[in-house]
Amino acid sequence: MTELTSENLDISVAIPTYNGATRLPKILNKLLSQTGVEQLSWEIIIVDNNSYDNTSEIIHNYQNISEENYNLRYFLETEQGAAFARLRAVREARGQLIAFLDDDNLPAPDWLSEAYKFALEHPQAGAWSGQIHGDFEINPPENFERIQAFLAIREHGSNPHLFDADNLRLPPGAALVVRKKAWNESVPKVLIFKGRVGKSMIGGEDLEPLLYLRKAGWQIWYNPTMHTYHQIPSWRLEKDYLINLARGCGLSIYELRIINTKNWQKPIVFVKTILGNLRRAFQHLIKYRGQLNTNLIALFEMEFYLASMMSPFYYLKFNFGKVLKNKLTL
């Protein structure tokens, strides 16, 4: 395989983690058994986002006892949130490509080689992602496939294609590969969405960087030859978690839509977001009337439509609060 021209490494695998001591050995072992990477220069970066378990000890043990020919580097990022961890990974990465994996993602043996091959074949691709399969601790509820994308499970068939950024149909931040050049040229140093921190489930941190890449003219691709497996524990299928997830994702919709919107178009998007989701919620209510208390998937969808409808008002409230806070501190 022909190497990419770079004075640095070919690929940096970046793993943000929070209390991942029990999960990290699995993913590290998968990475250390990758095939087709003999001619690649690559590294693994662990970004510890304020873990209070023995994550650092696990990583230091791997660094000390492994006889493998690989670079494993550890960084502590004290700003809480997935967005801060990913920004730190980009700053520290020495590879021309940055392959993000969450600590609960298990890559297939050829994941890295397929990611690199795609970079060679698609020079205009700023980011690309593959198939993400669910590895469930318990069986998901009936019709779960309707909402599986919200849990970063993506199975879009065997043909590569461009993602539809205009309609926010984009891959998750996990199992995503980006060109460092594209990120540095396109993505701001400070992001709007910080990630789900504490009790807040507000989403948006996965899609925001991709919208900036798209705005700058980079392509975002689906590459079906890259496979990862997302470990889904039982608590992520519980009603309370799923409803909070639906609301958090919905409340981010309006602000995501206006990232690449001209100022004169924002009032139009404001109204369309409210009316469009009001229509969806009304149609959904008619279709599943009397079932929302017993049909978890239908309830999830309803909560997402309602939160999306409210997202313009959430945006106004949040930004008014920031302006008021700034004035009070002057």
Side-chain angles (χ1 to χ4, degrees):
M1 187 179 292
T2 304
E3 293 191 20
L4 291 171
T5 302
S6 175
E7 60 184 12
N8 299 313
L9 303 177
D10 294 317
I11 305 177
S12 296
V13 180
I15 308 173
T17 186
Y18 176 69
N19 291 338
T22 60
R23 298 183 295 274
L24 284 167
K26 276 188 177 182
I27 185 174
L28 288 174
N29 291 337
K30 291 289 185 182
L31 287 170
L32 299 181
S33 60
Q34 289 287 293
T35 60
V37 295
E38 295 78 14
Q39 303 303 315
L40 298 182
S41 58
W42 61 290
E43 65 178 352
I44 303 171
I45 298 173
I46 306 294
V47 181
D48 184 349
N49 202 196
N50 286 327
S51 299
Y52 55 81
D53 64 359
N54 61 329
T55 287
S56 61
E57 180 183 346
I58 293 294
I59 299 307
H60 293 323
N61 287 342
Y62 265 84
Q63 290 174 321
N64 291 333
I65 68 175
S66 177
E67 297 179 357
E68 300 286 344
N69 182 24
Y70 71 97
N71 295 312
L72 175 60
R73 302 159 65 209
Y74 170 90
F75 300 95
L76 176 65
E77 175 51 57
T78 57
E79 289 279 0
Q80 198 72 48
F84 293 111
R86 288 172 185 156
L87 287 168
R88 178 66 181 274
V90 172
R91 292 198 302 271
E92 302 293 350
R94 297 180 296 191
Q96 186 171 353
L97 305 179
I98 305 173
F100 290 104
L101 288 169
D102 284 355
D103 61 17
D104 57 3
N105 297 148
L106 300 180
D110 61 351
W111 188 75
L112 271 181
S113 61
E114 289 297 330
Y116 186 81
K117 179 181 177 182
F118 195 85
L120 296 175
E121 296 172 347
H122 297 79
Q124 295 304 312
W128 53 99
S129 181
Q131 302 197 52
I132 307 174
H133 310 287
D135 182 3
F136 299 97
E137 184 179 16
I138 62 173
N139 290 331
E142 186 179 359
N143 296 319
F144 176 76
E145 65 276 3
R146 297 206 320 240
I147 67 165
Q148 66 180 12
F150 289 89
L151 279 83
I153 298 172
R154 304 297 174 91
E155 296 163 323
H156 301 310
S158 57
N159 296 319
H161 59 259
L162 289 168
F163 281 100
D164 183 6
D166 293 338
N167 290 301
L168 300 184
R169 296 190 180 99
L170 290 166
L176 178 77
V177 184
V178 300
R179 293 186 195 273
K180 186 174 183 180
K181 177 179 185 292
W183 182 293
N184 286 338
E185 290 178 353
S186 311
V187 180
K189 304 299 182 184
V190 178
L191 296 174
I192 299 168
F193 297 98
K194 312 305 180 187
R196 299 178 176 96
V197 179
K199 295 182 179 180
S200 173
M201 290 290 286
I202 302 299
E205 75 279 2
D206 284 0
L207 304 191
E208 183 183 357
L210 295 174
L211 291 171
Y212 296 129
L213 288 171
R214 180 68 182 87
K215 185 176 183 179
W218 291 95
Q219 296 175 347
I220 303 168
W221 279 85
Y222 169 70
N223 173 19
T225 65
M226 294 163 52
H227 294 263
T228 52
Y229 298 84
H230 185 194
Q231 300 172 86
I232 308 290
S234 59
W235 58 267
R236 285 193 175 179
L237 299 176
E238 293 175 358
K239 179 179 178 180
D240 287 347
Y241 176 83
L242 288 174
I243 297 309
N244 286 331
L245 176 64
R247 291 170 181 165
C249 291
L251 288 175
S252 69
I253 288 297
Y254 174 72
E255 193 156 10
L256 286 169
R257 289 196 179 281
I258 63 173
I259 285 177
N260 291 347
T261 300
K262 297 177 181 178
N263 286 333
W264 68 268
Q265 296 174 316
K266 291 179 180 179
I268 300 173
V269 176
F270 189 98
V271 174
K272 287 180 66 175
T273 301
I274 297 170
L275 295 182
N277 284 287
L278 176 61
R279 175 180 55 81
R280 293 184 185 94
F282 183 70
Q283 292 174 339
H284 201 68
L285 181 61
I286 293 174
K287 183 176 181 179
Y288 293 101
R289 182 170 45 196
Q291 299 181 39
L292 294 180
N293 289 331
T294 57
N295 188 329
L296 179 57
I297 303 304
L299 179 59
F300 181 103
E301 292 167 329
M302 175 61 84
E303 293 290 345
F304 175 70
Y305 296 147
L306 292 175
S308 299
M309 182 181 70
M310 296 302 298
S311 64
F313 303 106
Y314 180 83
Y315 167 80
L316 291 179
K317 177 183 176 181
F318 180 75
N319 283 275
F320 177 77
K322 286 197 299 185
V323 171
L324 182 61
K325 182 179 179 180
N326 290 337
K327 287 185 177 181
L328 291 176
T329 56
L330 291 179

